[in-house]
Amino acid sequence: MGYSKKLFQNLDSWIRRRLRMIQLRSWRKIRKLHRELRRRNWEGELPQLVMTRWKNSMTLHAHFAIPNERFREIKLVFLLDIYNELHPQRG
């Protein structure tokens, strides 16, 4: 069952990355990402990313602007949470 847990973890990660990519694309302009980073008190330089690149959905800036807690707020179901709920002894 360890394989299942890792599989769910990888799927959760990919789904969140895909959702981050969709959000970045919907913002279109980098200044919207900058605004979100400043709103969340980003310390450091503001990035210069291309909002439509898949690799940019994995950056620290995208994770800071769109954290995992945001997905929990919108009630996104995490597969790993369901697995841990069904198999508490394996968690």
Side-chain angles (χ1 to χ4, degrees):
M1 283 297 173
Y3 174 77
S4 298
K5 186 173 182 175
K6 189 67 173 173
L7 176 66
F8 290 151
Q9 190 175 14
N10 289 339
L11 285 171
D12 278 342
S13 177
W14 187 89
I15 291 166
R16 288 189 304 267
R17 183 176 180 189
R18 184 69 184 124
L19 291 171
R20 280 187 184 97
M21 184 69 245
I22 292 167
Q23 182 63 60
L24 289 174
R25 269 196 195 148
S26 74
W27 284 341
R28 291 185 180 197
K29 303 287 183 191
I30 191 72
R31 69 177 169 248
K32 291 185 181 180
L33 174 63
H34 290 175
R35 187 179 309 138
E36 186 65 25
L37 288 170
R38 282 192 299 270
R39 191 174 75 73
R40 294 183 177 274
N41 300 318
W42 173 257
E43 301 285 329
E45 288 189 36
L46 295 173
Q48 292 302 317
L49 304 176
V50 177
M51 301 299 277
T52 56
R53 295 244 170 98
W54 172 247
K55 69 178 182 176
N56 291 335
S57 63
M58 194 72 164
T59 64
L60 177 64
H61 304 101
H63 281 265
F64 193 85
I66 312 164
N68 289 345
E69 294 80 39
R70 187 163 175 181
F71 297 122
R72 290 197 186 278
E73 288 171 6
I74 63 170
K75 307 282 191 246
L76 179 70
V77 175
F78 283 54
L79 299 173
L80 193 57
D81 290 347
I82 294 171
Y83 176 85
N84 288 334
E85 194 176 297
L86 294 175
H87 303 287
Q89 69 279 11
R90 296 181 185 152

